[in-house]
Amino acid sequence: MKALITGSAGFIGSHLSQRLLEEGYDVVGIDNLNDYYPSFIKKKNVELCNDFSRNLDSKFNFVEGDILNQSIMEEVFDEFNFELVFHQAAQAGVRYSVENPIEPNNINVNGTLNLLETSRKNDVRLFINASSSSVYGETKYLPFDEKHPKTPKSPYGVSKLASEQYCRVFNELYDINTVSLRYFTVYGPRMRPDMAISNFVRRCLNNKSPIIYGNGKQTRDFTYIQDVTKANIELISKKEAQGEIINIGSGENISIKKLAKEIIKETNLEKEPIYSEKKKGDVKNTYADIKKAKKLINYEPKFGIKEGIKKYIDWYKKNKDWYKNNK
């Protein structure tokens, strides 16, 4: 089968491309290579997927294009005839969205709608939408189950909630099978350089204290990238999950202060964290109730935060130049 991955040059999209190629799917990736974070990192991801596919029977094709461009999307669908769509493209960043509220709406809402409509017209069998724990907002209770009130604190969270609702409506009105996965802070090799774990590790390995925004008591559920890609793969064959919205997390959480201490310990840094002013839009806690994912797709996260941090640090030490432009 052929699969389309939007945002395929990004962190999650490139890992998902590799996983699908391993599973024997022909993959077409589309990405506009925008400069929210350095585009040379995204180009490295594309090169990696191209190199990876050369040793397999499955094929990887990359298209530089924007999901907002309807003519490009129609051309891509006409040429490749997809059965599966994995929609990972988004304007990411809670803090970025606070300063730029219109952009996440344009990309995350209008882009999703454009992609859904193109998928509907082309009889796509399954549309998997990447959503976010940011839809929940402030804590009413923990852990968050899928029925927890949704009161997002950022334009990014609002845009992701809207994208979920468009998927639900298309599932109900147009008989296109959709699923939305609410990711809880995904991390791992090749992760975005602006994320907390990558920032902390980079600073610690350069003999600098990690910077914590706020008092460090806020907690996060960090989900390792391999658990996320496995959840996406499982959805392909699980018809009972179609039409659903599902949390994908680790099933545990950790305070940012404790996270920083753990990274300091693992990197043998002899310094304490530095504290700075809390950023607007940040929520106090995230923590996924994953019972629904276990029931519907046999989801069992394999990586706890301590093991995941060690794996990321090991990768970073071997790939220090990944975040550097060597051209």
Side-chain angles (χ1 to χ4, degrees):
M1 289 193 289
K2 291 187 178 68
L4 173 68
I5 301 180
T6 68
S8 64
F11 163 48
I12 299 175
S14 61
H15 276 276
L16 184 55
S17 295
Q18 286 182 277
R19 183 62 191 270
L20 283 163
L21 288 164
E22 280 183 320
E23 295 288 329
Y25 293 89
D26 289 339
V27 174
V28 176
I30 187 167
D31 200 298
N32 65 0
L33 302 177
N34 72 22
D35 59 358
Y36 168 62
Y37 62 92
S39 60
F40 71 81
I41 296 175
K42 298 177 182 180
K43 291 175 182 177
K44 286 183 180 182
N45 284 331
V46 174
E47 290 173 9
L48 191 71
C49 290
N50 276 321
D51 291 342
F52 187 76
S53 68
R54 290 192 183 103
N55 298 317
L56 302 169
D57 291 332
S58 46
K59 298 177 182 178
F60 178 76
N61 289 282
F62 177 72
V63 177
E64 184 175 349
D66 198 314
I67 59 172
L68 287 167
N69 189 318
Q70 190 171 0
S71 62
I72 289 178
M73 295 309 301
E74 288 174 353
E75 288 174 12
V76 171
F77 273 79
D78 285 344
E79 181 176 355
F80 293 101
N81 191 27
F82 305 109
E83 293 184 58
L84 305 170
V85 171
F86 295 84
H87 180 33
Q88 309 296 312
Q91 175 53 63
V94 166
R95 295 168 186 171
Y96 179 86
S97 76
V98 172
E99 302 298 327
N100 305 274
I102 293 176
E103 199 165 348
N105 187 80
N106 285 341
I107 297 170
N108 303 351
V109 182
N110 295 335
T112 300
L113 181 57
N114 187 41
L115 189 61
L116 279 165
E117 178 65 357
T118 310
S119 298
R120 179 181 74 86
K121 290 177 179 177
N122 287 274
D123 298 319
V124 164
R125 181 171 72 79
L126 178 62
F127 185 105
I128 300 172
N129 174 51
S131 187
S132 167
S133 61
S134 293
V135 303
Y136 290 114
E138 286 299 358
T139 309
K140 301 298 180 184
Y141 56 84
L142 289 174
F144 295 142
D145 58 27
E146 288 82 357
K147 294 180 180 179
H148 186 284
K150 268 68 74 180
T151 53
K153 287 191 66 178
S154 66
Y156 172 76
V158 172
S159 72
K160 282 299 187 179
L161 186 58
S163 75
E164 287 183 2
Q165 292 302 303
Y166 269 120
C167 288
R168 178 187 60 79
V169 166
F170 267 67
N171 180 267
E172 293 174 1
L173 289 182
Y174 305 119
D175 200 30
I176 174 173
N177 294 318
T178 67
V179 183
S180 287
L181 297 181
R182 287 180 183 150
Y183 297 156
F184 281 68
T185 316
V186 187
Y187 72 104
R190 311 200 308 269
M191 68 188 296
R192 282 185 4 228
D194 61 319
M195 301 296 286
I197 290 176
S198 52
N199 258 321
F200 287 0
V201 169
R202 183 169 60 252
R203 289 185 65 85
C204 287
L205 288 176
N206 284 284
N207 199 35
K208 296 178 181 178
S209 295
I211 299 174
I212 295 173
Y213 297 101
N215 60 16
K217 294 181 180 179
Q218 63 270 38
T219 63
R220 293 290 180 270
D221 185 334
F222 291 97
T223 316
Y224 198 69
I225 182 62
Q226 289 179 22
D227 289 326
V228 169
T229 57
K230 187 174 187 301
N232 277 273
I233 296 297
E234 288 295 328
L235 280 168
I236 297 171
S237 61
K238 299 293 192 299
K239 292 184 178 180
E240 57 269 35
Q242 292 171 8
E244 298 288 346
I245 298 170
I246 306 170
N247 286 339
I248 300 297
S250 70
E252 61 181 51
N253 68 351
I254 186 174
S255 72
I256 299 302
K257 181 177 181 180
K258 188 174 180 181
L259 173 72
K261 294 278 190 179
E262 190 67 29
I263 292 173
I264 286 170
K265 176 185 173 183
E266 289 297 326
T267 55
N268 299 310
L269 182 71
E270 296 183 355
K271 294 183 178 182
E272 292 296 313
I274 296 171
Y275 291 85
S276 187
E277 185 178 355
K278 179 184 176 182
K279 297 289 187 178
K280 289 182 179 180
D282 285 358
V283 297
K284 187 174 181 180
N285 301 294
T286 69
Y287 181 14
D289 183 322
I290 55 175
K291 288 196 289 290
K292 186 175 181 179
K294 288 181 178 181
K295 179 181 178 181
L296 294 180
I297 61 172
N298 300 321
Y299 176 70
E300 290 287 350
K302 301 298 183 186
F303 300 93
I305 186 64
K306 289 186 178 182
E307 182 184 0
I309 287 171
K310 288 178 182 179
K311 286 175 72 66
Y312 179 71
I313 291 171
D314 288 344
W315 174 85
Y316 188 92
K317 286 178 178 177
K318 296 172 185 176
N319 296 272
K320 290 182 179 179
D321 290 341
W322 186 260
Y323 299 109
K324 295 179 182 178
N325 191 352
N326 298 320
K327 294 183 179 179

